[in-house]
Amino acid sequence: MKALPLALAGAASVALAGLSVPLAHAQGPKEIGAVDPFRWLEDIDSPRSMAWVEGQNVKSAKRLEGDPRYEVFRKEALAIFTAQDRIATPRFRAGGVDNFWQDGAHVHGIWRHTTLTSYRTANPQWQTLLDLDALSKADGKNWIWKGADCLKPAQTLCLVHLSNGGSDAVEDREFDTTTGKFVEGGFFFPDGKQNIRWIDHDTLIAARAWTPAEVTQSGYPYVVKIVKRGGGQPKEVFRGSKTDVQNGGAVLEGEHGVDGVMINHGLTFYQREFSLLGDTGLRAIPLPKKVEYDTYVDGQLVFTIKEDWQAFKAGAVISYELADLKRDPATAKPQLVFMPGAHDAVERVGSSKDRLVVVLLQDVKGAVDTYDHKAGVWLPRRLKLPANANINLVSASEDDNQLFFTAEGFLDPTSLWLADADGAIAKVKQLPAQFDASKDVVDQHFATSTDGTKIPYFLVHRKDMKLDGSTPTQMFGYGGFELSEPPAYIPQMGKLWLERGGAYVIANIRGGGEFGPAWHEAALREHRQRAFDDFASVARDMIARKITSARHIGIYARSNGGILTTVSMTQHPELFNAVVVESPLIDMLRYNHLSAGASWMAEYGNPDIPADREFIAKYSAYQNLRPGVKYPEPYITTNTRDDRVHPGHPRKFAAMMESMGLPYLYYEQTFGGHANDADPELNARRWARHYVYLSQKLMD
């Protein structure tokens, strides 16, 4: 990208890291129309941008890594991330269990396999399938594991997804787990954001950028084709448009093979159309636009609807008989599986061989129901998993009805459970305590937001906490995309923060999914301010209860949460003393032109439309920074290889703060992608910097 001019004739300037910026720009780009003095930082890998990054990293490392606590924190975090007694996350495959493992000796990681019987022992006997450290060295790449999709029923031929540096774009290669080698002349798709699934041994359905122009405005594929082994011209089966978000295919795998193929037409982030692919073309499935496809099991296509439709309420799980849809979609009748109540939210829907699995939040606490489809009726069974815990479905076997779940709480180390969908259940693994939680306790409080809505929040703190406003408190929120924030066991937070007397808060603000679609939609688009108000109300509630004070409150969030933290900082600088902004969205008047940003316009609105731009501009932190305001000094951090949320967002925010003479810290990791956790050592350094900063601001 061509850099914008940094100086105007006759304009007074202020110094910026050896550059000059017109003083007029110190008012923020909203006042100067379309001119953005720091757009050149959106050119991710340009020498100029990377020189700026290097300079920022040096300054921030001196402050954070020079602190005596840094090395202590780094070692403690690394010990957690590389501990041999971690639970090896299981995935059912080929009659056994797979795991991807990273430690000090396997920084990139190894993909490995064992039997279920061996896995259940204290020391499983693993067979290494693929060593990513060796592969990275051989290929001269920085391979990061992104999973594998294996051909059923044997599940020995797999499409392995590899990311060079951790970005969302992956390279797909065919791998044979019986030989431990990539298939010579096998399926191969070069680096890209793509969705590829097996139909049979010689056939795939693939959505990818077949030409550089065949991507949506969000950077995702919109053309779907059938690909045959041995080359030949792929057959196009669906073509969307550049204004779509993302399109792809789903293979409906039954007990005796493939029962059908479905096309997912992603109109917006939340609106979709589904069609069955047949010999005569596509046949639309009758559904509302706001709907998610969950799974295919026992001849039933299962969906979760996100808006009221027919006799069903938003949040309901429904099903269609595939045979009925094939006969005539117009006469097929949807069937209710589950209707959530006011305090319920469907977190995940999956399936095993012939059972449906629904993971719920009920008052932000986990529960699991399995369903058997008998004589046209869904019969539920509640699994007896730990109460008052966050429950996650880890893996479901398609060979039988066995299921792996984890259960965890803020102070309860993660446990792994093996269940049968018919009710039998046993604890298989238990993570040892990663920090001393004996002095801590968890409370749930409710704050009152600006419009009177009650906002729940969890508070983890010392049992002997003094109610004098002195407790250093790290406050986390997200508030977007219907993603819930239930209790979670976070070892590095416990070890580096709770053990040193800090408190931790999760604010379950609107925009999330804690209470279903309505809780999410309450903060969509022009209502986004509600999420920010909710977050501020939690801070005020803690101050009113004398749990903590503004001097001792630090906020942290990432991705969509970057909007939350930077807006909280600019709207309520008096409430916080520390702000960690990680992998963030910030420039909301330009986000839809950066990386995958266009896919999120259903969440935030379209700033290119004047009416939407008006309400977005009121909160967008990049445009609302002001010189002379006493903001808390933020720690802004991101990853160069983040191809989901563009690193230009935090770069420009830091540069704007510097141009205004405002204090800040900026650090950019050069690989790892949006997750920013691909390497255990670099992840340990990441969290060490994080907690050094919070300690400096809230404890010193």
Side-chain angles (χ1 to χ4, degrees):
M1 174 180 289
K2 183 179 179 181
L4 294 175
L6 291 178
L8 300 177
S13 298
V14 293
L16 173 65
L19 305 174
S20 63
V21 179
L23 195 57
H25 292 174
Q27 296 300 311
K30 184 170 70 173
E31 282 75 18
I32 55 176
V35 177
D36 180 350
F38 302 111
R39 190 175 291 186
W40 57 274
L41 285 166
E42 295 175 5
D43 192 348
I44 296 175
D45 293 309
S46 75
R48 186 183 184 195
S49 293
M50 292 311 296
W52 180 89
V53 167
E54 183 177 356
Q56 299 294 321
N57 284 358
V58 168
K59 289 189 293 184
S60 295
K62 182 178 180 181
R63 158 87 173 269
L64 300 177
E65 297 179 12
D67 189 296
R69 288 166 290 202
Y70 171 79
E71 189 59 20
V72 176
F73 288 164
R74 186 196 67 80
K75 288 180 178 178
E76 289 180 347
L78 185 61
I80 289 169
F81 299 145
T82 60
Q84 295 299 308
D85 58 4
R86 287 173 293 146
I87 295 176
T89 303
R91 305 289 179 192
F92 288 110
R93 185 190 63 81
V97 173
D98 282 357
N99 166 255
F100 186 75
W101 182 261
Q102 291 174 284
D103 57 24
H106 307 95
V107 175
H108 289 268
I110 51 173
W111 180 27
R112 56 188 189 171
H113 182 79
T114 191
T115 65
L116 178 58
T117 300
S118 179
Y119 178 77
R120 298 185 66 173
T121 66
N123 296 291
Q125 300 302 302
W126 294 102
Q127 172 199 1
T128 297
L129 302 174
L130 182 62
D131 183 333
L132 260 65
D133 292 271
L135 184 66
S136 295
K137 184 177 180 180
D139 291 352
K141 299 288 184 68
N142 186 12
W143 289 127
I144 306 299
W145 179 254
K146 293 289 184 176
D149 180 43
C150 302
L151 175 64
K152 298 165 188 171
Q155 295 183 300
T156 57
L157 282 180
C158 303
L159 288 175
V160 170
H161 314 306
L162 301 171
S163 168
N164 186 16
S167 65
D168 287 349
V170 297
E171 177 177 296
D172 287 300
R173 301 189 199 176
E174 186 176 2
F175 185 85
D176 188 337
T177 62
T178 61
T179 64
K181 296 180 180 179
F182 290 103
V183 177
E184 186 175 351
F187 287 117
F188 173 82
F189 297 89
D191 185 73
K193 293 182 178 181
Q194 48 206 12
N195 181 292
I196 304 169
R197 296 289 180 265
W198 294 95
I199 294 178
D200 59 39
H201 180 273
D202 298 316
T203 315
L204 305 171
I205 185 165
R208 63 184 313 275
W210 305 99
T211 67
E214 288 178 321
V215 293
T216 65
Q217 294 169 356
S218 308
Y220 296 107
Y222 66 86
V223 179
V224 184
K225 298 185 179 185
I226 300 294
V227 180
K228 290 289 187 179
R229 187 181 295 278
Q233 189 67 24
K235 178 185 176 183
E236 183 175 309
V237 293
F238 182 77
R239 175 175 290 268
S241 69
K242 293 187 78 67
T243 57
D244 294 339
V245 169
Q246 182 178 10
N247 302 321
V251 180
L252 311 178
E253 294 163 312
E255 186 176 355
H256 303 293
V258 173
D259 292 342
V261 174
M262 185 174 66
I263 298 296
N264 178 353
H265 181 193
L267 301 168
T268 72
F269 198 87
Y270 301 113
Q271 294 185 319
R272 301 170 181 85
E273 294 175 340
F274 292 94
S275 302
L276 292 177
L277 178 62
D279 294 336
T280 59
L282 298 175
R283 305 186 77 182
I285 300 173
L287 289 164
K289 286 289 193 292
K290 288 187 176 181
V291 62
E292 291 181 358
Y293 169 63
D294 294 318
T295 190
Y296 175 70
V297 59
D298 201 18
Q300 306 293 311
L301 276 166
V302 183
F303 301 88
T304 299
I305 62 172
K306 300 296 184 177
E307 60 182 317
D308 293 350
W309 179 69
Q310 295 187 6
F312 309 111
K313 296 295 184 182
V317 180
I318 66 171
S319 67
Y320 271 112
E321 185 89 36
L322 178 60
D324 292 346
L325 290 171
K326 286 183 173 181
R327 277 191 295 269
D328 185 359
T331 61
K333 301 296 183 184
Q335 183 179 15
L336 179 67
V337 178
F338 173 76
M339 180 76 77
H343 296 274
D344 300 335
V346 175
E347 279 291 279
R348 184 177 173 188
V349 179
S351 60
S352 55
K353 180 181 179 181
D354 57 15
R355 296 290 193 277
L356 190 66
V357 185
V358 179
V359 182
L360 303 170
L361 280 182
Q362 297 183 316
D363 285 323
V364 204
K365 297 168 185 175
V368 177
D369 293 329
T370 63
Y371 290 82
D372 189 4
H373 195 254
K374 293 288 189 183
V377 178
W378 288 102
L379 302 175
R381 178 191 294 270
R382 176 63 53 93
L383 294 184
K384 294 181 180 180
L385 288 159
N388 300 317
N390 179 30
I391 307 295
N392 291 291
L393 174 61
V394 176
S395 186
S397 173
E398 296 180 356
D399 296 327
D400 49 36
N401 288 314
Q402 294 192 95
L403 309 160
F404 276 120
F405 294 96
T406 56
E408 61 184 323
F410 288 116
L411 304 177
D412 301 314
T414 305
S415 55
L416 180 72
W417 300 75
L418 179 62
D420 185 278
D422 289 327
I425 191 164
K427 184 191 287 190
V428 178
K429 306 279 184 181
Q430 175 67 60
L431 179 71
Q434 303 293 291
F435 61 91
D436 180 6
S438 63
K439 301 175 182 178
D440 298 308
V441 67
V442 180
D443 297 327
Q444 187 180 36
H445 298 296
F446 289 82
T448 302
S449 194
T450 306
D451 62 0
T453 302
K454 298 297 183 181
I455 308 302
Y457 67 95
F458 290 105
L459 169 66
V460 188
H461 64 92
R462 285 285 181 93
K463 294 175 183 177
D464 60 356
M465 177 182 68
K466 295 179 180 179
L467 294 177
D468 60 0
S470 65
T471 300
T473 303
Q474 179 185 189
M475 182 177 166
F476 178 83
Y478 189 77
F481 296 95
E482 205 179 339
L483 294 178
S484 304
E485 296 297 340
Y489 190 74
I490 310 173
Q492 71 272 19
M493 184 273 294
K495 187 68 178 177
L496 279 61
W497 188 247
L498 293 181
E499 280 195 0
R500 290 169 169 83
Y504 179 71
V505 168
I506 285 185
N508 299 122
I509 63 178
R510 283 174 289 185
E514 287 83 355
F515 300 106
W519 196 250
H520 170 229
E521 293 191 3
L524 277 180
R525 290 175 43 82
E526 64 268 27
H527 303 302
R528 201 72 186 179
Q529 185 61 41
R530 291 173 178 166
F532 312 140
D533 292 345
D534 293 353
F535 200 61
S537 75
V538 171
R540 292 193 187 97
D541 191 76
M542 290 193 295
I543 293 170
R545 295 175 188 268
K546 298 187 182 302
I547 293 167
T548 187
S549 60
R551 162 70 179 82
H552 296 290
I553 299 178
I555 57 177
Y556 163 62
R558 63 190 322 276
S559 194
N560 162 79
I563 308 170
L564 177 65
T565 49
T566 55
V567 171
S568 296
M569 180 185 109
T570 53
Q571 290 188 354
H572 302 289
E574 77 286 354
L575 285 180
F576 313 109
N577 196 41
V579 182
V580 181
V581 186
E582 186 175 69
S583 303
L585 277 159
I586 302 177
D587 182 358
M588 297 307 292
L589 295 187
R590 188 163 160 72
Y591 82 92
N592 57 320
H593 297 285
L594 298 173
S595 297
S599 65
W600 309 320
M601 290 190 289
E603 180 81 12
Y604 306 121
N606 181 354
D608 295 339
I609 296 174
D612 288 9
R613 187 178 184 86
E614 183 178 1
F615 65 72
I616 295 171
K618 290 178 180 178
Y619 70 76
S620 180
Y622 184 55
Q623 285 76 25
N624 282 285
L625 278 171
R626 296 292 179 267
V629 177
K630 189 178 180 181
Y631 298 112
E633 176 192 50
Y635 170 42
I636 307 159
T637 181
T638 191
N639 193 290
T640 310
R641 297 277 71 84
D642 189 342
D643 58 350
R644 191 181 313 172
V645 178
H646 198 288
H649 285 280
R651 289 177 178 181
K652 295 195 304 177
F653 191 69
M656 184 62 73
M657 292 195 74
E658 186 172 25
S659 75
M660 295 179 178
L662 300 170
Y664 72 95
L665 291 167
Y666 182 91
Y667 193 91
E668 183 171 318
Q669 177 57 48
T670 55
F671 80 91
H674 186 63
N676 211 17
D677 62 354
D679 181 320
E681 171 63 40
L682 293 178
N683 200 24
R685 296 177 189 176
R686 164 198 173 197
W687 287 110
R689 288 189 294 269
H690 176 105
Y691 283 108
V692 164
Y693 165 79
L694 288 178
S695 298
Q696 290 176 349
K697 304 299 292 185
L698 306 182
M699 290 184 171
D700 291 354

